């Protein structure tokens, strides 16, 4: 049974940092695309970052480029999202998702309909 579980969310002050984790079970992250998405209240879900689990290539939305870093540890079957210099507008529920590696190499990084499995989400709140 494929399962993705996010953790690491919480309340942080502007300028602070958090590291989100996405632990996968029921399959191995050897040849997949893993994406991080977020959804703020009243807004549409948006893509944040995507990684190829085969070679670690990464892609970022402009809004987080230079502040967020996505990485993977295939031995732990886990993908991370390091978030630095957080802003109030980063407040959202963050989700990880996985799908065929074609997602990454076709440039469909944030085409959510192409992802097969989703986690339950973790809340990130940036506020003073």
């Amino acid at each position: 049974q494929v399962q993705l579980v996010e953790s690491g969310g919480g309340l942080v002050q502007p300028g602070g940092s958090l590291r989100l984790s996405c632990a996968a079970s029921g399959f191995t992250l050897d040849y997949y695309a893993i994406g991080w998405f977020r959804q703020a209240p009243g807004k549409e879900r948006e893509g944040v970052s995507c990684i190829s689990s085969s070679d670690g290539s990464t892609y970022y939305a402009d809004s987080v480029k230079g502040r967020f870093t996505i990485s993977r540890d295939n031995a732990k079957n886990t993908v991370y999202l390091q978030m630095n210099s957080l802003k109030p507008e980063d407040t959202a529920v963050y989700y990880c998702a996985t799908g065929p590696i074609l997602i990454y190499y076709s440039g469909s990084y944030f085409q959510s309909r192409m992802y097969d499995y989703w986690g339950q989400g973790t809340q990130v709140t940036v506020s003073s």
Side-chain angles (χ1 to χ4, degrees):
Q1 176 181 351
V2 174
Q3 192 173 17
L4 298 175
V5 178
E6 302 96 334
S7 61
L11 173 65
V12 64
Q13 292 186 342
S17 298
L18 283 174
R19 189 177 80 156
L20 305 184
S21 299
C22 173
S25 60
F27 71 106
T28 55
L29 286 172
D30 288 338
Y31 206 65
Y32 289 89
I34 299 94
W36 281 99
F37 294 78
R38 66 187 181 187
Q39 188 165 20
K43 294 188 176 182
E44 293 187 356
R45 184 169 53 194
E46 63 172 345
V48 174
S49 184
C50 183
I51 188 169
S52 160
S53 65
S54 67
D55 64 6
S57 298
T58 59
Y59 183 83
Y60 298 93
D62 288 342
S63 59
V64 306
K65 202 173 294 183
R67 299 188 298 123
F68 290 11
T69 302
I70 190 172
S71 62
R72 96 282 193 216
D73 184 335
N74 285 6
K76 294 184 178 180
N77 231 28
T78 300
V79 173
Y80 304 98
L81 186 69
Q82 177 67 43
M83 306 187 296
N84 298 330
S85 302
L86 283 161
K87 305 175 181 179
E89 51 263 43
D90 294 318
T91 296
V93 178
Y94 283 71
Y95 301 89
C96 65
T98 189
I101 196 133
L102 175 67
I103 292 173
Y104 188 90
Y105 294 104
S106 67
S108 304
Y109 313 107
F110 302 143
Q111 297 290 328
S112 57
R113 59 181 170 80
M114 297 186 68
Y115 287 81
D116 298 317
Y117 301 100
W118 293 78
Q120 82 290 348
T122 185
Q123 176 70 47
V124 171
T125 303
V126 185
S127 175
S128 55

